[in-house]
Amino acid sequence: MKLSIGVDIGGTNTCVGAVTTDGLVLTRIQFRTDDYENGIVYADRLAEAVREVMQASAENTSPEWSGLGIGAPNGNYLTGSIEEPPNLRFKGITPLVSLLKERLDLPQIRLTNDANAAAIGEKIFGAAKDYSDFIMITLGTGLGSGIFVNNQLVYGHDGFAGELGHISVIPDGRYCGFGRRGSLENYCSATGIRRTYFEMIAQRGGHTSLDHKPLGEITAKDIADAADQGDPIAQATMDFTGRLLGEALASTALITSPAAFFLFGGPVQAGEILLGPTRRSFEKHLIPPFKNKIKIIESALPMGDAAIIGAAALVAS
Amino acid sequence: MKLSIGVDIGGTNTCVGAVTTDGLVLTRIQFRTDDYENGIVYADRLAEAVREVMQASAENTSPEWSGLGIGAPNGNYLTGSIEEPPNLRFKGITPLVSLLKERLDLPQIRLTNDANAAAIGEKIFGAAKDYSDFIMITLGTGLGSGIFVNNQLVYGHDGFAGELGHISVIPDGRYCGFGRRGSLENYCSATGIRRTYFEMIAQRGGHTSLDHKPLGEITAKDIADAADQGDPIAQATMDFTGRLLGEALASTALITSPAAFFLFGGPVQAGEILLGPTRRSFEKHLIPPFKNKIKIIESALPMGDAAIIGAAALVAS
């Protein structure tokens, strides 16, 4: 049975799974990323976890391993390194692919960033199978993107293409990291939705249906649910988010002219409350040759397994 | 001698030239585009002009024709048609490549839009020869762009990629065509520079060094020259233009991560007066992994011949 190994490196946890050619996760294990502040010690632990997954898989099947794919924050496909990740404890440049090649005997080991891995996952296992030109958007703590042009993922000259979350949408807008202001992910990620909700309360005053909840525990999902149940401030929040996202997707569409955008992540589960205003704003901001032909579609990747599946897709084809 | 034919279709004139493999224009003729309101009659005249250029070239050399390349507003490479051009008299869809194939016996006939042709020209004959990932920006009446990813021009799913001039940069900003507002080309094209100049006069009041000139005759070049000679309102205009262009190029760089932007067109001849603020604003708006490695370079294509050379480059390789 042909299997790939997918590794999802997050700031808190690392998940390792064996993935079938149909995109099913057979075996998986997890360990804490934030126990490690040294990339080499981390690579030792990761190699051990990969061996555990391979052994566990061999108990039930006769696996033929196609390789190991890794999705990581600031993972660079061209260099095989994790470069200056803002939310991992091992800083600087960690040449993870070469560290793992020294520790594991596998046909191929590849690394990319998490959003690119999701895009490849959508192309190999998800709803983008028949699309040669599309853009994957992942909405979570940040906003990531992976861009396909002509059936190829766009890496750019240095491996860093697809940082749509950092494009400027509101001149002199909200403060973000790096001393910059007004970038998309400060508005349209799960974190951005929370910030907009508080801005709406500030502007409109009064009470909301989430008044009973401790401030720090209010999530984008709570706000989407509140909108669904008729809370006007939550509805205004989701509407604002969709309008801004639609405008940013329209600008992006003008650049690479994809046939579709695939949206993935917690906020996307709000469905039409977010996607309705996104689509309307998107169409409004397109010039005529682009109107009424570019789709905005929910990702078909399963929420829980998407990162592992996407990483495995790097070596599945 | 190996030659290509390049055709530059503008709203006013059509230029046809024979181009060498070194990018030199040997013979050229010109006729008025706006004499024609019917695409088929226009194709007759264009085929005749191509034959004239071929005959004139044959008088001096023994040409071996590699084909015919056409750059046209709203020219679609994938369909070979000019589609709904806003500034040509023949409206709707003109299948120019098939009309010409019926009229001319040449190994290949290809069509794309003018900015894509310029990008291919820069790649084949200009300063982008060694770049696999770059973006060409043409500043004229509008703002056009052509994007290379992985040594390939990006056409998108429908042939319309690269419409950078229409991305939104100022929410609810200046009115443009199509009922939209705040798009880049209303600020950073030659036309946009004029509009900014009048806005600066409105905001600051007082007189400028161009007061003697009839309003309708003031060009972006006049404003750049005035800035060069110390006119503070003209300087503020070029500075504003560069800052906005730099921010837009930074957002674009985050999407496809090119190694360089090549800038072409009248306003670029202003040199550092425009490029200085553009580069500073560009670097300011990039996130750290992108800083200090992406170049902003003046195009090496000759101003007068660039459109013909770019069109010929479509069939030169």
Side-chain angles (χ1 to χ4, degrees), chain A residues 126-275:
Chain A
K129 281 176 188 162
D130 299 328
Y131 288 81
S132 55
D133 298 81
F134 72 92
I135 298 182
M136 181 86 180
I137 306 284
T138 60
L139 304 177
T141 310
L143 185 153
S145 68
I147 301 167
F148 267 82
V149 163
N150 237 342
N151 276 313
Q152 295 177 314
L153 192 81
V154 176
Y155 287 108
H157 82 289
D158 56 357
F160 284 115
E163 289 291 351
L164 190 61
H166 296 284
I167 67 167
S168 173
V169 290
I170 306 273
D172 302 320
R174 288 180 191 165
Y175 288 93
C176 31
F178 309 128
R180 296 164 69 254
R181 296 183 67 178
S183 61
L184 182 63
E185 75 175 11
N186 289 290
Y187 294 88
C188 296
S189 62
T191 323
I193 290 171
R194 276 189 95 232
R195 288 170 80 169
T196 299
Y197 186 64
F198 299 134
E199 189 171 293
M200 293 281 171
I201 296 174
Q203 281 173 358
R204 300 179 173 219
H207 290 273
T208 90
S209 63
L210 296 175
D211 275 5
H212 64 285
K213 231 186 155 171
L215 182 66
E217 291 177 16
I218 294 172
T219 64
K221 184 169 188 326
D222 294 332
I223 298 163
D225 289 346
D228 199 30
Q229 284 151 35
D231 179 330
I233 289 185
Q235 284 175 338
T237 298
M238 299 308 285
D239 191 63
F240 175 85
T241 306
R243 281 188 285 124
L244 210 55
L245 182 61
E247 183 170 354
L249 297 188
S251 283
T252 309
L254 293 167
I255 294 175
T256 68
S257 196
F261 288 90
F262 294 90
L263 270 49
F264 175 83
V268 182
Q269 296 187 297
E272 282 307 301
I273 289 173
L274 179 65
L275 295 181

Side-chain angles (χ1 to χ4, degrees), chain A residues 46-123:
Chain A
L46 178 53
E48 185 189 307
V50 169
R51 279 188 292 264
E52 287 170 40
V53 164
M54 290 172 73
Q55 274 163 19
S57 307
E59 284 169 19
N60 306 315
T61 63
S62 304
E64 179 195 336
W65 297 101
S66 64
L68 169 65
I70 307 158
N74 285 31
N76 187 329
Y77 180 82
L78 301 183
T79 62
S81 299
I82 298 179
E83 305 186 3
E84 311 284 358
N87 55 353
L88 297 182
R89 288 183 66 200
F90 36 101
K91 299 299 176 197
I93 293 176
T94 302
L96 193 61
V97 168
S98 33
L99 290 170
L100 290 175
K101 280 186 176 167
E102 290 164 9
R103 287 160 177 78
L104 294 165
D105 181 27
L106 282 164
Q108 52 182 340
I109 301 180
R110 288 186 185 162
L111 166 77
T112 192
N113 77 37
D114 27 17
N116 284 345
I120 297 170
E122 198 74 47
K123 171 81 179 160

Side-chain angles (χ1 to χ4, degrees), chain A residues 74 83 132-133 135 147 149-150 152-164 166-172 178 180-181 247 250-260 284-291 293-294, chain B residues 74 83 132-133 135 147 149-150 152-164 166-172 178 180-181 247 250-260 284-291 293-294:
Chain A
N74 285 31
E83 305 186 3
S132 55
D133 298 81
I135 298 182
I147 301 167
V149 163
N150 237 342
Q152 295 177 314
L153 192 81
V154 176
Y155 287 108
H157 82 289
D158 56 357
F160 284 115
E163 289 291 351
L164 190 61
H166 296 284
I167 67 167
S168 173
V169 290
I170 306 273
D172 302 320
F178 309 128
R180 296 164 69 254
R181 296 183 67 178
E247 183 170 354
S251 283
T252 309
L254 293 167
I255 294 175
T256 68
S257 196
K284 182 183 156 196
H285 286 95
L286 291 171
I287 56 174
F290 289 76
K291 280 186 193 285
K293 59 182 179 186
I294 303 176
Chain B
N74 284 32
E83 304 186 3
S132 56
D133 298 81
I135 297 182
I147 301 168
V149 163
N150 238 343
Q152 295 177 315
L153 193 82
V154 177
Y155 288 108
H157 82 289
D158 57 356
F160 284 115
E163 289 290 351
L164 190 61
H166 296 284
I167 67 167
S168 174
V169 290
I170 306 273
D172 302 321
F178 309 129
R180 295 163 70 253
R181 295 182 70 177
E247 183 170 353
S251 282
T252 309
L254 293 167
I255 295 175
T256 68
S257 196
K284 182 184 155 195
H285 286 94
L286 291 171
I287 56 173
F290 289 75
K291 281 186 193 284
K293 58 183 182 184
I294 302 176

Side-chain angles (χ1 to χ4, degrees), chain B:
Chain B
M1 182 179 207
K2 207 162 181 183
L3 293 175
S4 309
I5 303 159
V7 175
D8 167 36
I9 303 180
T12 310
N13 290 308
T14 296
C15 302
V16 183
V19 179
T20 69
T21 50
D22 295 325
L24 294 174
V25 183
L26 291 190
T27 327
R28 88 188 67 205
I29 65 165
Q30 187 170 311
F31 65 91
R32 288 191 74 91
T33 315
D34 59 3
D35 280 349
Y36 300 86
E37 60 185 11
N38 177 308
I40 293 170
V41 182
Y42 175 80
D44 286 334
R45 176 68 188 98
L46 177 54
E48 185 189 307
V50 169
R51 278 188 292 265
E52 286 170 41
V53 164
M54 290 173 74
Q55 274 162 17
S57 306
E59 285 169 17
N60 306 314
T61 63
S62 303
E64 181 194 334
W65 297 102
S66 64
L68 169 65
I70 307 159
N74 284 32
N76 188 326
Y77 181 83
L78 301 183
T79 62
S81 299
I82 298 179
E83 304 186 3
E84 311 286 355
N87 56 354
L88 296 182
R89 288 183 67 199
F90 36 100
K91 300 298 175 198
I93 294 176
T94 303
L96 193 60
V97 167
S98 33
L99 290 171
L100 290 175
K101 279 186 174 166
E102 290 164 7
R103 288 161 176 76
L104 294 164
D105 181 26
L106 283 165
Q108 51 181 341
I109 301 180
R110 289 186 185 163
L111 166 78
T112 191
N113 77 37
D114 27 17
N116 285 345
I120 297 169
E122 199 74 47
K123 172 80 178 160
I124 305 284
F125 299 125
K129 282 175 188 163
D130 298 329
Y131 288 82
S132 56
D133 298 81
F134 73 92
I135 297 182
M136 181 85 179
I137 307 284
T138 61
L139 303 178
T141 309
L143 186 152
S145 68
I147 301 168
F148 267 82
V149 163
N150 238 343
N151 277 314
Q152 295 177 315
L153 193 82
V154 177
Y155 288 108
H157 82 289
D158 57 356
F160 284 115
E163 289 290 351
L164 190 61
H166 296 284
I167 67 167
S168 174
V169 290
I170 306 273
D172 302 321
R174 290 180 189 165
Y175 288 94
C176 30
F178 309 129
R180 295 163 70 253
R181 295 182 70 177
S183 62
L184 181 63
E185 75 174 11
N186 289 292
Y187 295 88
C188 297
S189 62
T191 323
I193 290 172
R194 275 189 96 232
R195 289 169 80 169
T196 298
Y197 187 62
F198 299 135
E199 189 171 293
M200 292 283 172
I201 297 174
Q203 281 173 358
R204 300 180 173 216
H207 290 273
T208 90
S209 64
L210 297 175
D211 274 4
H212 64 285
K213 233 190 154 171
L215 181 68
E217 292 177 15
I218 294 172
T219 63
K221 184 171 187 327
D222 293 331
I223 298 163
D225 289 345
D228 198 29
Q229 285 152 34
D231 179 330
I233 289 184
Q235 283 174 338
T237 298
M238 298 308 287
D239 191 62
F240 175 85
T241 306
R243 280 189 284 124
L244 211 55
L245 181 61
E247 183 170 353
L249 297 188
S251 282
T252 309
L254 293 167
I255 295 175
T256 68
S257 196
F261 288 91
F262 293 90
L263 269 50
F264 176 84
V268 182
Q269 296 187 296
E272 281 308 301
I273 289 173
L274 179 64
L275 295 182
T278 303
R279 289 195 185 104
R280 286 191 291 278
S281 168
F282 178 69
E283 289 296 338
K284 182 184 155 195
H285 286 94
L286 291 171
I287 56 173
F290 289 75
K291 281 186 193 284
N292 300 314
K293 58 183 182 184
I294 302 176
K295 295 176 189 145
I296 295 180
I297 308 173
E298 289 181 51
S299 163
L301 296 180
M303 270 295 285
D305 290 338
I308 287 181
I309 294 172
L314 262 178
V315 293
S317 58

